[in-house]
Amino acid sequence: MQNLVSHTYKKQFVEEFPGDESGNLRPRQTPGVLYSKAVPTPVSNPKLLAWSDELAQELGVEKPTTDEEVAVLAGNLVTPTMYSYAACYAGHQFGNWAGQLGDGRAITLGEWVAPIGTSYELQLKGAGPTPYSRRADGRAVLRSSVREYLMSEAMHYLGVPTTRALSLVSTGDQVLRDMFYNGNAAMEPGAIVMRVAPSFLRFGNFEMLASRQEDENLQKLVDWTISRYYPHIQGEGIERVTAWFREVVERTAGLMVEWLRVGFVHGVMNTDNMSILGLTIDYGPYSFLDDYDPNFTPNTTDLPGRRYAFGRQHSIAYWNLGCLASAIAPLYQENTQPLQEVLDGYRDLFYGKFYVMMANKLGLDELREEDKELIGEVEKVLTTLKPDMAIFFQLLMDLTAVESEQQVVEHFRESYYREPKATDRELLFNTLKAYWERIEANSCTREESQELMRKSNPRFILRNYLLHQAIEGLEKGDDQLFVKLQQAMKDPYSRNFDEFFAKRPDWASQKAGCSMLSCSS
């Protein structure tokens, strides 16, 4: 285990690519560079609120015990071997080209090599302004930081590819925020999260270079990304780039399926929030589904179009991959057909993974062609009845027979947010009858089927109202729920934390921060 202060950090990204070394934090365009030096702005009174022991063990990082070590997590201390910087990237936001964006409130400190040899970037979110902060202050509030810290780790334990969070620090400073962009700004306690990932490269890094026609930097970034993060891809030239793009497409399709499996809605799937490694990145106005609604979006900024709604995420991922394809197209000279062919394969890739995932959630021994129709009928039930998604699948796991309409309706009663209509009851019964016939045709035992379902269907999810209550507690000096949620999120498939196995309460359906959130969340 190594110390945060004395550790020798790597800085291969900044050594490989051109950057603005001036350290000038004035907001500006930075053509010709992939990053700008940015030293974190010190905070007044940093306190360690949370530390991921499991991630620290994986990285080989000692838990901070001194003020000097906590100072690293707060941005108050940049050690001699660190090179702190903000990355330059662009993006499409809500379907529109936004031009240069960049790390506006994230500063990478350096690269930490874990005992197994894997290198991880350590990045502070909320550590002060950078050249890409535009008119913002580069800070983060406790509210958004708690959400990022907890969900980064929760998604890891759910088995969903994600960036991680090592620490959460309160700053002792107040930050002005307008939570819903409605003119009601208020002071909130500040905080900083240390995020961890092999790389925070986004689709937008490649879009930035393409838009500026920096073809040499673009080629260099693509080659470096493949060599460093996709070393198994061999070959040369365009064939190598195509093989890499194919894997990015496959990873992204797989990530969308995982989001659907656990009922996760990202909320702001701009191309600058799409990881080139296929990780969930940038936890802002996200949510898990409570009642099953494909049109649900937790982001107030996404209304009324609902571009990033739960049921549209896989389509938006395809659109975003098209933007990435356009960004790397200059490398193909005139013949971009190989890129288009890979992109055209996304639909089959996604649905191939999707149907297997749904078969597992339903406890089917294998995916048969006729199962696709059954899966469609289950989707219709969920969309029509709008039951609590997590609870519905837990009750489905416990189903022992399908005897009558009344019996089936009562079995799932705990999952309803409204009383099913007569047509809803009939649909539920007929679908479950067909489902049970398929279960009885399994080549495996019911116990084996249930075990498959247990591994596919989380029993505990970090619901927004629980996060809201934990944040309110922390702001009042009470960390009991915050600590409890950290324990529960590490064991989401068991019954060990059934005190949280409940529908969203009525009061939370309209309360700010529990149902809808903004990008400042």
Side-chain angles (χ1 to χ4, degrees):
M1 303 291 279
Q2 297 189 48
N3 186 281
L4 282 166
V5 176
S6 59
H7 179 75
T8 300
Y9 293 82
K10 303 293 184 182
K11 46 186 176 185
Q12 293 189 8
F13 181 79
V14 298
E15 289 175 342
E16 187 73 24
F17 296 102
D20 182 337
E21 313 282 351
S22 69
N24 182 356
L25 301 181
R26 177 179 57 84
R28 62 193 184 279
Q29 296 290 309
T30 59
V33 303
L34 278 74
Y35 66 89
S36 292
K37 183 177 181 179
V39 177
T41 304
V43 298
S44 65
N45 188 26
K47 300 290 184 184
L48 184 63
L49 296 180
W51 176 261
S52 175
D53 289 315
E54 294 79 6
L55 176 57
Q57 188 69 35
E58 188 178 325
L59 296 173
V61 183
E62 291 179 359
K63 185 173 183 177
T65 57
T66 67
D67 290 345
E68 189 180 33
E69 291 164 327
V70 174
V72 172
L73 304 176
N76 283 17
L77 174 63
V78 176
T79 70
T81 60
M82 291 177 177
Y83 185 99
S84 57
Y85 70 91
C88 178
Y89 49 81
H92 283 82
Q93 298 192 324
F94 298 94
N96 300 306
W97 176 244
Q100 177 183 290
L101 297 166
D103 286 331
R105 59 173 175 170
I107 296 176
T108 299
L109 297 179
E111 298 157 21
W112 182 289
V113 179
I116 62 171
T118 306
S119 180
Y120 293 90
E121 294 178 6
L122 303 188
Q123 185 180 87
L124 299 180
K125 186 170 182 178
T130 78
Y132 309 110
S133 297
R134 288 162 284 176
R135 294 181 300 277
D137 58 15
R139 292 300 186 190
V141 295
L142 182 65
R143 168 174 49 86
S144 62
S145 301
V146 167
R147 287 173 55 82
E148 173 121 20
Y149 176 82
L150 288 178
M151 189 56 76
S152 299
E153 292 302 281
M155 291 287 268
H156 167 72
Y157 288 104
L158 285 167
V160 180
T162 180
T163 59
R164 302 287 299 276
L166 180 62
S167 64
L168 172 66
V169 171
S170 62
T171 64
D173 299 323
Q174 293 289 304
V175 179
L176 185 66
R177 283 292 178 272
D178 185 347
M179 184 175 176
F180 289 105
Y181 306 137
N182 59 4
N184 295 316
M187 300 301 290
E188 298 186 46
I192 296 172
V193 174
M194 177 172 275
R195 308 196 295 186
V196 178
S199 173
F200 288 94
L201 280 173
R202 307 136 187 279
F203 291 7
N205 291 86
F206 301 86
E207 288 184 286
M208 183 78 273
L209 299 175
S211 72
R212 288 176 168 163
Q213 299 182 333
E214 296 178 15
D215 292 353
E216 184 178 340
N217 280 337
L218 177 62
Q219 181 73 66
K220 190 174 182 181
L221 181 61
V222 169
D223 289 342
W224 186 81
T225 301
I226 297 171
S227 297
R228 187 168 172 84
Y229 303 111
Y230 296 81
H232 53 282
I233 295 178
Q234 301 300 310
E236 295 181 353
I238 292 308
E239 290 76 17
R240 183 169 179 250
V241 176
T242 302
W244 166 67
F245 181 62
R246 182 178 294 111
E247 187 159 337
V248 174
V249 169
E250 184 168 357
R251 289 191 190 189
T252 303
L255 181 65
M256 295 304 104
V257 169
E258 284 296 287
W259 287 3
L260 291 173
R261 178 178 69 84
V262 300
F264 177 77
V265 195
H266 185 279
V268 58
M269 285 179 65
N270 300 329
T271 57
D272 55 296
N273 293 336
M274 297 291 293
S275 163
I276 204 67
L277 302 185
L279 306 174
T280 313
I281 190 172
D282 288 342
Y283 291 97
Y286 65 77
S287 180
F288 281 109
L289 287 187
D290 293 308
D291 50 313
Y292 190 92
D293 182 1
N295 289 319
F296 171 68
T297 178
N299 187 356
T300 55
T301 315
D302 198 25
L303 299 174
R306 299 179 184 271
R307 175 181 176 84
Y308 298 143
F310 174 68
R312 295 183 180 177
Q313 293 180 119
H314 62 286
S315 298
I316 292 299
Y318 171 75
W319 193 92
N320 289 345
L321 285 163
C323 293
L324 177 61
S326 296
I328 62 176
L331 305 182
Y332 284 74
Q333 306 297 329
E334 300 298 322
N335 182 24
T336 58
Q337 185 178 350
L339 266 182
Q340 188 61 53
E341 289 175 354
V342 171
L343 190 60
D344 289 345
Y346 172 83
R347 178 182 171 84
D348 289 342
L349 267 174
F350 169 78
Y351 279 105
K353 294 174 183 289
F354 171 77
Y355 282 119
V356 169
M357 177 274 289
M358 285 300 297
N360 290 338
K361 282 181 75 71
L362 295 173
L364 309 185
D365 59 340
E366 61 179 349
L367 177 66
R368 305 171 188 175
E369 189 60 34
E370 59 270 24
D371 292 337
K372 294 179 181 178
E373 183 178 351
L374 174 63
I375 289 168
E377 288 301 305
V378 171
E379 283 275 303
K380 185 177 179 181
V381 165
L382 292 169
T383 304
T384 303
L385 270 70
K386 290 183 167 48
D388 189 280
M389 179 182 175
I391 295 176
F392 178 88
F393 278 103
Q394 292 296 312
L395 296 175
L396 185 65
M397 191 191 312
D398 294 338
L399 192 67
T400 57
V402 176
E403 297 168 347
S404 68
E405 182 178 291
Q406 184 64 23
Q407 174 252 332
V408 169
V409 170
E410 288 304 314
H411 179 80
F412 289 95
R413 180 158 297 283
E414 192 178 355
S415 71
Y416 305 144
Y417 284 94
R418 60 170 176 79
E419 186 64 28
K421 298 181 292 187
T423 53
D424 299 343
R425 296 163 65 98
E426 183 181 6
L427 174 64
L428 177 64
F429 175 63
N430 289 337
T431 302
L432 266 293
K433 188 164 60 173
Y435 166 71
W436 198 249
E437 289 174 1
R438 173 63 181 85
I439 286 295
E440 292 184 325
N442 269 348
S443 59
C444 63
T445 65
R446 180 56 178 156
E447 289 74 20
E448 290 170 330
S449 171
Q450 287 174 318
E451 182 59 26
L452 185 60
M453 295 175 80
R454 280 192 195 95
K455 293 177 179 178
S456 304
N457 296 296
R459 191 170 179 88
F460 170 81
I461 53 174
L462 269 177
R463 298 178 188 266
N464 268 346
Y465 83 89
L466 292 173
L467 287 162
H468 182 75
Q469 289 178 317
I471 292 163
E472 283 190 326
L474 281 174
E475 289 176 341
K476 297 171 183 175
D478 180 0
D479 69 350
Q480 284 185 300
L481 181 56
F482 178 60
V483 170
K484 193 74 171 178
L485 292 180
Q486 289 181 76
Q487 296 167 347
M489 72 185 187
K490 296 174 186 177
D491 195 15
Y493 296 99
S494 79
R495 297 173 183 262
N496 293 334
F497 294 91
D498 272 6
E499 64 196 271
F500 300 120
F501 187 65
K503 292 181 297 185
R504 178 195 66 229
D506 291 340
W507 62 262
S509 61
Q510 299 299 324
K511 187 174 177 62
C514 295
S515 55
M516 298 295 291
L517 304 112
S518 72
C519 289
S520 76
S521 302

